[in-house]
Amino acid sequence: MSSFIANALRGTFFMFFGLWWSVKYPLKYLSRRLNEDSRASRWIQKLDVLEGAAKAFFALAGMLAEQFVPNLSHVSVYSGQSQSWEKLANWQYMTMYFFYGLSGIVDVLSYSPLKLTLGLDRLLLSVALCIEGFLFCFQDYNNASLDQHLYSLLVIAVFGGALCTLMEVFLRDHAILEFFRTSFFILQGSWFWQIGFVLSPPWGGPGWDQTDRGNFMLLTMGFFWHYAAALLITTANSIFSRWYVVGRGNGRLRLYSGTLKVGVTCLQCPTM
Amino acid sequence: MSSFIANALRGTFFMFFGLWWSVKYPLKYLSRRLNEDSRASRWIQKLDVLEGAAKAFFALAGMLAEQFVPNLSHVSVYSGQSQSWEKLANWQYMTMYFFYGLSGIVDVLSYSPLKLTLGLDRLLLSVALCIEGFLFCFQDYNNASLDQHLYSLLVIAVFGGALCTLMEVFLRDHAILEFFRTSFFILQGSWFWQIGFVLSPPWGGPGWDQTDRGNFMLLTMGFFWHYAAALLITTANSIFSRWYVVGRGNGRLRLYSGTLKVGVTCLQCPTM
Amino acid sequence: MSSFIANALRGTFFMFFGLWWSVKYPLKYLSRRLNEDSRASRWIQKLDVLEGAAKAFFALAGMLAEQFVPNLSHVSVYSGQSQSWEKLANWQYMTMYFFYGLSGIVDVLSYSPLKLTLGLDRLLLSVALCIEGFLFCFQDYNNASLDQHLYSLLVIAVFGGALCTLMEVFLRDHAILEFFRTSFFILQGSWFWQIGFVLSPPWGGPGWDQTDRGNFMLLTMGFFWHYAAALLITTANSIFSRWYVVGRGNGRLRLYSGTLKVGVTCLQCPTM
Amino acid sequence: MSSFIANALRGTFFMFFGLWWSVKYPLKYLSRRLNEDSRASRWIQKLDVLEGAAKAFFALAGMLAEQFVPNLSHVSVYSGQSQSWEKLANWQYMTMYFFYGLSGIVDVLSYSPLKLTLGLDRLLLSVALCIEGFLFCFQDYNNASLDQHLYSLLVIAVFGGALCTLMEVFLRDHAILEFFRTSFFILQGSWFWQIGFVLSPPWGGPGWDQTDRGNFMLLTMGFFWHYAAALLITTANSIFSRWYVVGRGNGRLRLYSGTLKVGVTCLQCPTM
């Protein structure tokens, strides 16, 4: 069951940011349109810093979990491998988390007085996604063709996200690109969960048959159904957050942003 | 003969939109240039809504046909397969139609008071095309190399269309991109018909020889001749619709747009 | 020797346009800068029309040569094939020439009163290059691995040219893209000659050894030496034509453009 | 040990330019912002010319070293090959250096009175990188799968650099692209060193085991750790050079640029 938990944790990491962005970006555009004083942009900045810190923190937690948690040290997509081999798989995921951590640190530093070049945060996120994609491309699947198929599909989502984050370096704050990136992160998250269910079901058992061609067809379609779900979730969250703020009047937004601001302050001063 | 009908229906779906666009886009530019009052842009909007509704309706019809029509449930590009396998092929085409349906719904919603982000309709069409392409890439051709070759060629048209629709997200209303997309849709449509004729001729018989290398060469060339025909049709329709409107004087356009408007109204109020 | 001549003719076709562009584009920019009256732009237009007509004419000649010239009907990159097979190879080159012909016709029509959308000429050239590239990609090399290697290298030049012509649709009259395209056409031309020398030397003999790995290495490098030469020729022609016009004073340009205009007129009225 | 030295020399070539750019570009932006007289832009021009000359000189030195230095003429990534084969490997690296030399010459000529088109220097650098990438793609690894894996990883860095230099043709002086290119050059440099250590350790011995799958995993991850290091070095140099100039006051910059100017003058007049 440990391999399922590892994949579920990875999925949760990506799903968390996907869902968060699906709420954050519509609010950002709304608050810009409705509430054009500097207060709105200031709490968005604070949220960005918090988000970067959360990314760095979760990445660090992921690295530590992959390496040190005992029942994770047996995480393996390849059954029947020697001990040294399994550790390499863990190191691979650590490398992946490391670059997401780096991306989080750069997100935080973007708002520091260091004045990094604008767009460096998106570039680092794109680099992290590319490196994740290349790691899965060059992974040794040890003739487990269903594993390889599952990760090939994942790689589509990863490189899709990388391409669209790279375009954000040049077209910053483009609503469509942010929508696209959000949907790709939700897709990645839910597909990691799916991989967990397929290769090592939480109720035990050997995972799906690696040789049945029907499984390949079904999972290919399943991947795109996941994407349909990701698109629907992104759209629903976008419409809901817009309705929540606009549908209840302009005054509500100030209250809402005030609440968020209090929340942010609470997080910043936990002793308050 | 059922497999031929299925491919012909798929081909007709794409051909219909290709041919429609080859007439619509030249008229759109003309009406903008000649008739710059708000009436022209209003009936274009109504046509766009109708087009989206038609896309969603045809996609739904396609999904139902793939699943429930009895003589289609034996649709199979692979001869001699078990029952479960053939159903998967149907589900695959349903997935394809589902995303085109989604794209149609977003087209309609673009003109609703929800105020979706501009470009989301093109993005969804591009996603639908990409997913169609990936479905054909990951399809299991079961060692039928001629099938694989035919669909590889189709994938060129699909990804060509996807790339150019993706560029339209950023360069909206670009005449060249719309021309390009139109020609790719006509190509896709006619190539689905060709696939039907090659793999399951309507006059019965076993389809073309899967092992003759000459067939591969001929079909590769045939694909590009189809594209030449698609380009000629797009150009001819573009020139004809321009001549029909401009060559007969400006007054005619008002009449023409009036007729279209009446048609649109009739469609909207079928009880009228 | 016939196969050598066929490859030489193909090479000459691409080389001709490459060399012509390496002279035309520097002169175009110069005449725009120095001589900004409408006369300069008018003779450039006439040259463009002539160029399109030449492209269409050479493409037609190529199609007829591939099909009807007796000693070309045995053109074959594959030794020991049946008759039907060799005709398919000829049809393939005819398809290639056909799209270049189409591109030439669109070049001419761009200046006609039909008022084609700006950029359609570049799009058609890009389509012709893409189709040439795909034809070579899908060609059946019949296990002749050296043939495949030679055409793989050619495909780099073809798709390089296609990519840069596609960008010209959006960035029209961009000097760097035109320089790039010119160099790729010269490269394609000289590489067709090289293919002729390698696979069927004009002095007879069996062509190079298909199994020696050293040949593969040497030809890979040779391809890039050809490109170095293409870059040098493009640069040299560019500098020479600039020097010829500017280095000899502004007055010379008028004379020069006058000479060209006379030349163009002569070509237009051969009875003069 | 000779093969190690050859790889180390290649690595040093790329590392040198990477490190140099990681210092030069931040200074360029600073001097533009702080010191907007023409003097700053003049010494940056002189540095660019010097850099081009250095590139051409090192490339020439590399070509000569690959060909004539006796203990380099046995450079071979393939053990137990015939003499003719090894010379081809040398010629391959000479081709690579030749295009970097060409790029250096064009860098110098960009500031000459010839007035080359703006962006040609970046285009030539991009061409040199592409050609390096294609040379490694088409190289014959003679079934040494670890060699192939090492060079496949290198090719990622090479084409990454080529893509981003190509974008610089159109987006000249874009800080993010220059940062990206710098990091890719440092990565290339350090990976050539790594290749040297893996395939022919300087302390003798046979190189790493070509069949152990663990080596492949470890080197894949190692490549991305190298990239993490390259990113950190680029960022650190950027921050340090900014701090060195700005953190010590505006007056320092003039002194600093003065020092550089003296240095440049000394290099130009070695007899001074």
Side-chain angles (χ1 to χ4, degrees):
Chain A
M1 197 177 123
S2 56
S3 173
F4 174 75
I5 290 180
N7 274 313
L9 285 180
R10 285 165 208 151
T12 310
F13 176 78
F14 290 105
M15 184 75 92
F16 172 80
F17 284 102
L19 291 176
W20 162 237
W21 289 336
S22 75
V23 174
K24 176 188 147 195
Y25 289 123
L27 288 180
K28 189 176 82 175
Y29 288 106
L30 270 180
S31 72
R32 278 206 185 145
R33 215 173 346 142
L34 298 178
N35 192 1
E36 294 188 9
D37 58 358
S38 56
R39 185 189 287 177
S41 64
R42 250 182 293 138
W43 66 258
I44 284 176
Q45 264 200 14
K46 281 187 185 159
L47 281 179
D48 278 356
V49 171
L50 258 187
E51 184 192 311
K55 211 194 289 175
F57 173 76
F58 288 156
L60 186 65
M63 287 168 75
L64 294 176
E66 294 283 351
Q67 203 60 27
F68 296 116
V69 176
N71 72 335
L72 281 177
S73 75
H74 298 291
V75 168
S76 168
V77 280
Y78 327 112
S79 58
Q81 292 288 325
S82 71
Q83 182 64 17
S84 65
W85 187 227
E86 292 177 20
K87 278 196 177 154
L88 276 177
N90 284 353
W91 275 97
Q92 191 188 355
Y93 283 106
M94 276 186 68
T95 307
M96 179 186 98
Y97 280 125
F98 174 73
F99 276 93
Y100 283 105
L102 215 64
S103 154
I105 291 169
V106 170
D107 281 6
V108 173
L109 289 184
S110 297
Y111 292 101
S112 75
L114 272 174
K115 283 184 189 157
L116 296 184
T117 321
L118 199 75
L120 202 64
D121 47 349
R122 301 297 150 93
L123 182 70
L124 260 282
L125 184 58
S126 176
V127 163
L129 281 159
C130 276
I131 283 170
E132 190 194 347
F134 280 121
L135 280 173
F136 287 124
C137 281
F138 282 110
Q139 207 176 343
D140 182 18
Y141 294 101
N142 209 26
N143 298 326
S145 56
L146 191 65
D147 289 31
Q148 186 162 16
H149 185 64
L150 285 168
Y151 285 104
S152 301
L153 290 168
L154 184 67
V155 159
I156 295 175
V158 174
F159 278 120
L163 178 70
C164 110
T165 318
L166 188 63
M167 287 173 79
E168 280 188 81
V169 174
F170 305 101
L171 293 166
R172 202 183 174 81
D173 290 328
H174 193 287
I176 289 284
L177 287 175
E178 282 168 356
F179 178 88
F180 217 12
R181 168 157 56 97
T182 303
S183 70
F184 277 127
F185 264 76
I186 296 180
L187 173 62
Q188 240 196 92
S190 70
W191 195 246
F192 263 119
W193 276 86
Q194 181 73 66
I195 288 175
F197 276 106
V198 169
L199 296 184
S200 50
W203 47 80
W208 294 23
D209 183 2
Q210 296 263 351
T211 54
D212 181 8
R213 302 303 298 174
N215 285 342
F216 286 77
M217 288 281 281
L218 196 64
L219 286 167
T220 308
M221 280 187 289
F223 180 72
F224 295 114
W225 297 340
H226 274 258
Y227 191 52
L231 284 175
L232 289 177
I233 290 171
T234 316
T235 312
N237 273 7
S238 164
I239 289 171
F240 175 77
S241 50
R242 201 173 291 186
W243 164 82
Y244 186 79
V245 174
V246 176
R248 297 182 168 202
N250 197 340
R252 185 84 185 190
L253 183 72
R254 288 176 183 279
L255 178 64
Y256 177 76
S257 72
T259 317
L260 260 172
K261 215 185 151 220
V262 168
V264 168
T265 323
C266 292
L267 277 164
Q268 284 176 323
C269 328
T271 60
M272 198 177 79
Chain B
M1 196 176 123
S2 56
S3 173
F4 174 75
I5 290 180
N7 274 314
L9 285 180
R10 285 165 209 151
T12 310
F13 176 79
F14 289 105
M15 185 74 94
F16 172 81
F17 285 102
L19 290 176
W20 161 237
W21 288 337
S22 73
V23 174
K24 177 187 144 195
Y25 287 124
L27 288 180
K28 190 176 80 176
Y29 289 106
L30 269 181
S31 73
R32 279 210 184 141
R33 213 171 350 140
L34 298 179
N35 192 1
E36 293 189 11
D37 58 358
S38 55
R39 184 188 288 177
S41 63
R42 250 182 292 137
W43 67 260
I44 283 176
Q45 263 199 15
K46 281 187 184 155
L47 282 180
D48 279 355
V49 171
L50 258 187
E51 183 192 311
K55 212 195 288 174
F57 173 76
F58 288 156
L60 186 66
M63 286 168 76
L64 295 176
E66 293 283 350
Q67 204 60 27
F68 295 117
V69 177
N71 72 335
L72 281 177
S73 75
H74 300 289
V75 169
S76 167
V77 279
Y78 328 113
S79 58
Q81 291 288 325
S82 71
Q83 182 64 18
S84 66
W85 187 225
E86 293 177 19
K87 279 195 176 156
L88 275 177
N90 285 353
W91 275 96
Q92 191 189 354
Y93 283 106
M94 275 186 68
T95 308
M96 179 186 99
Y97 280 125
F98 174 75
F99 277 93
Y100 282 105
L102 215 64
S103 155
I105 291 169
V106 170
D107 281 6
V108 173
L109 289 183
S110 297
Y111 291 101
S112 76
L114 272 175
K115 283 181 188 157
L116 295 184
T117 320
L118 198 78
L120 202 63
D121 48 348
R122 302 295 150 92
L123 182 69
L124 260 283
L125 185 57
S126 175
V127 163
L129 281 159
C130 276
I131 283 170
E132 190 194 347
F134 280 122
L135 279 174
F136 287 125
C137 281
F138 282 109
Q139 208 177 343
D140 181 17
Y141 294 101
N142 208 25
N143 297 325
S145 55
L146 190 65
D147 288 33
Q148 188 163 15
H149 185 65
L150 285 167
Y151 285 104
S152 302
L153 290 168
L154 184 67
V155 159
I156 295 176
V158 174
F159 278 120
L163 179 70
C164 109
T165 318
L166 188 63
M167 286 173 79
E168 279 187 82
V169 174
F170 304 101
L171 292 166
R172 203 183 173 80
D173 289 329
H174 193 287
I176 288 285
L177 287 175
E178 284 169 351
F179 178 89
F180 216 13
R181 168 157 57 97
T182 303
S183 70
F184 277 127
F185 263 75
I186 296 179
L187 173 62
Q188 240 197 93
S190 69
W191 195 246
F192 263 121
W193 276 86
Q194 179 74 65
I195 288 176
F197 276 107
V198 169
L199 296 185
S200 50
W203 47 80
W208 294 23
D209 183 2
Q210 295 263 351
T211 54
D212 180 7
R213 301 305 299 173
N215 284 342
F216 286 76
M217 288 282 281
L218 195 64
L219 285 167
T220 309
M221 279 186 289
F223 180 72
F224 296 114
W225 296 340
H226 275 257
Y227 192 52
L231 284 174
L232 289 177
I233 290 170
T234 316
T235 312
N237 273 7
S238 164
I239 289 170
F240 175 75
S241 49
R242 200 173 292 187
W243 164 82
Y244 186 80
V245 174
V246 177
R248 295 178 172 210
N250 197 341
R252 185 85 183 188
L253 182 71
R254 288 174 184 279
L255 178 65
Y256 177 75
S257 73
T259 317
L260 260 172
K261 219 185 148 222
V262 169
V264 168
T265 322
C266 292
L267 277 163
Q268 282 174 325
C269 326
T271 61
M272 198 176 80
Chain C
M1 196 176 125
S2 56
S3 172
F4 174 75
I5 289 179
N7 274 313
L9 285 180
R10 286 165 208 150
T12 310
F13 175 78
F14 289 105
M15 184 75 95
F16 172 80
F17 285 102
L19 290 176
W20 161 237
W21 288 337
S22 74
V23 174
K24 175 187 148 198
Y25 288 123
L27 287 180
K28 189 176 81 175
Y29 289 106
L30 268 181
S31 73
R32 278 209 185 141
R33 207 159 10 127
L34 297 179
N35 192 1
E36 293 187 12
D37 58 358
S38 54
R39 183 189 289 175
S41 63
R42 250 181 293 137
W43 66 259
I44 284 176
Q45 265 199 14
K46 281 188 185 156
L47 281 180
D48 279 355
V49 172
L50 257 189
E51 184 193 310
K55 213 196 287 175
F57 173 76
F58 289 154
L60 185 67
M63 286 168 75
L64 295 177
E66 293 284 349
Q67 204 60 26
F68 296 116
V69 176
N71 71 336
L72 280 178
S73 76
H74 299 290
V75 167
S76 168
V77 280
Y78 328 111
S79 58
Q81 293 289 322
S82 71
Q83 182 65 17
S84 66
W85 187 226
E86 291 178 20
K87 278 196 175 155
L88 275 176
N90 284 353
W91 276 97
Q92 191 188 356
Y93 284 107
M94 274 187 70
T95 309
M96 181 186 99
Y97 281 125
F98 175 74
F99 278 93
Y100 282 106
L102 216 63
S103 155
I105 291 168
V106 170
D107 281 6
V108 173
L109 290 183
S110 297
Y111 291 100
S112 76
L114 272 175
K115 281 183 189 158
L116 295 184
T117 322
L118 198 77
L120 201 64
D121 49 347
R122 302 296 149 92
L123 182 69
L124 259 282
L125 184 58
S126 176
V127 163
L129 280 159
C130 275
I131 283 170
E132 189 194 348
F134 280 122
L135 280 174
F136 287 124
C137 281
F138 282 108
Q139 206 177 345
D140 182 17
Y141 294 102
N142 209 26
N143 298 323
S145 55
L146 190 66
D147 288 32
Q148 187 162 16
H149 186 65
L150 285 168
Y151 284 104
S152 302
L153 290 168
L154 184 67
V155 159
I156 295 176
V158 174
F159 279 119
L163 179 70
C164 111
T165 319
L166 188 62
M167 288 173 79
E168 279 187 83
V169 175
F170 305 100
L171 292 167
R172 203 182 172 82
D173 288 331
H174 193 288
I176 288 285
L177 286 174
E178 283 168 351
F179 177 88
F180 217 12
R181 168 157 57 96
T182 303
S183 70
F184 277 127
F185 263 75
I186 296 179
L187 173 61
Q188 241 196 91
S190 69
W191 196 246
F192 263 119
W193 276 86
Q194 179 73 66
I195 288 176
F197 276 107
V198 169
L199 296 185
S200 50
W203 46 81
W208 292 23
D209 183 2
Q210 294 263 353
T211 54
D212 181 7
R213 301 304 298 174
N215 283 343
F216 286 78
M217 288 283 280
L218 195 65
L219 285 167
T220 309
M221 279 186 291
F223 181 72
F224 296 114
W225 297 340
H226 274 256
Y227 192 51
L231 283 174
L232 288 178
I233 290 170
T234 317
T235 312
N237 273 7
S238 164
I239 289 171
F240 175 75
S241 49
R242 200 173 291 185
W243 164 83
Y244 186 79
V245 174
V246 178
R248 295 178 172 207
N250 197 338
R252 186 82 184 193
L253 182 71
R254 288 175 185 279
L255 177 65
Y256 179 75
S257 72
T259 316
L260 260 171
K261 215 179 151 229
V262 169
V264 168
T265 322
C266 293
L267 276 162
Q268 284 174 324
C269 325
T271 60
M272 195 177 82
Chain D
M1 195 176 123
S2 55
S3 172
F4 173 76
I5 288 180
N7 275 313
L9 285 180
R10 286 164 208 152
T12 309
F13 175 77
F14 290 104
M15 184 75 94
F16 172 79
F17 285 101
L19 291 176
W20 161 236
W21 288 337
S22 74
V23 174
K24 174 187 149 198
Y25 288 123
L27 288 180
K28 188 176 80 175
Y29 289 106
L30 269 181
S31 72
R32 278 208 185 143
R33 209 164 1 130
L34 298 179
N35 193 1
E36 294 186 9
D37 57 358
S38 56
R39 183 189 289 177
S41 63
R42 249 182 293 136
W43 65 259
I44 284 176
Q45 265 200 14
K46 280 188 185 157
L47 282 180
D48 278 357
V49 172
L50 257 188
E51 184 192 310
K55 212 194 289 175
F57 173 76
F58 288 155
L60 186 66
M63 286 168 75
L64 294 178
E66 294 283 350
Q67 204 59 27
F68 295 116
V69 177
N71 72 335
L72 281 177
S73 76
H74 298 291
V75 169
S76 165
V77 279
Y78 327 112
S79 57
Q81 292 289 325
S82 70
Q83 182 64 17
S84 66
W85 188 227
E86 291 176 20
K87 277 195 176 155
L88 276 177
N90 284 354
W91 275 96
Q92 190 187 356
Y93 284 106
M94 275 185 69
T95 309
M96 180 186 97
Y97 280 125
F98 174 73
F99 277 93
Y100 283 105
L102 216 62
S103 154
I105 290 169
V106 170
D107 282 5
V108 174
L109 290 183
S110 297
Y111 291 101
S112 74
L114 272 175
K115 281 183 191 161
L116 296 184
T117 321
L118 198 76
L120 202 65
D121 48 348
R122 301 296 149 94
L123 182 70
L124 260 283
L125 184 56
S126 176
V127 163
L129 280 159
C130 276
I131 283 170
E132 189 194 347
F134 280 121
L135 280 174
F136 287 124
C137 281
F138 282 109
Q139 205 177 347
D140 182 16
Y141 294 102
N142 208 27
N143 298 324
S145 55
L146 191 65
D147 288 32
Q148 186 161 17
H149 185 65
L150 285 167
Y151 285 103
S152 302
L153 291 168
L154 184 66
V155 159
I156 295 175
V158 173
F159 278 120
L163 179 69
C164 110
T165 318
L166 189 62
M167 288 173 77
E168 279 188 83
V169 174
F170 305 99
L171 292 167
R172 202 182 172 82
D173 289 330
H174 193 288
I176 289 284
L177 286 175
E178 281 168 356
F179 178 89
F180 218 11
R181 168 157 56 96
T182 302
S183 70
F184 276 127
F185 263 75
I186 296 179
L187 173 62
Q188 241 197 93
S190 69
W191 195 246
F192 263 119
W193 275 85
Q194 179 74 66
I195 288 176
F197 276 107
V198 169
L199 295 185
S200 50
W203 48 80
W208 292 24
D209 183 2
Q210 295 262 353
T211 55
D212 181 8
R213 301 305 297 175
N215 284 343
F216 285 78
M217 289 282 282
L218 195 65
L219 285 167
T220 309
M221 281 186 290
F223 180 72
F224 296 114
W225 296 341
H226 274 258
Y227 191 52
L231 283 174
L232 289 177
I233 290 171
T234 316
T235 313
N237 273 8
S238 163
I239 290 171
F240 176 75
S241 50
R242 201 173 292 185
W243 164 82
Y244 186 78
V245 174
V246 177
R248 297 182 170 203
N250 196 340
R252 185 84 183 193
L253 182 71
R254 288 175 183 281
L255 178 63
Y256 178 76
S257 72
T259 317
L260 261 170
K261 210 175 158 232
V262 169
V264 169
T265 322
C266 292
L267 277 162
Q268 284 174 323
C269 327
T271 58
M272 195 175 81

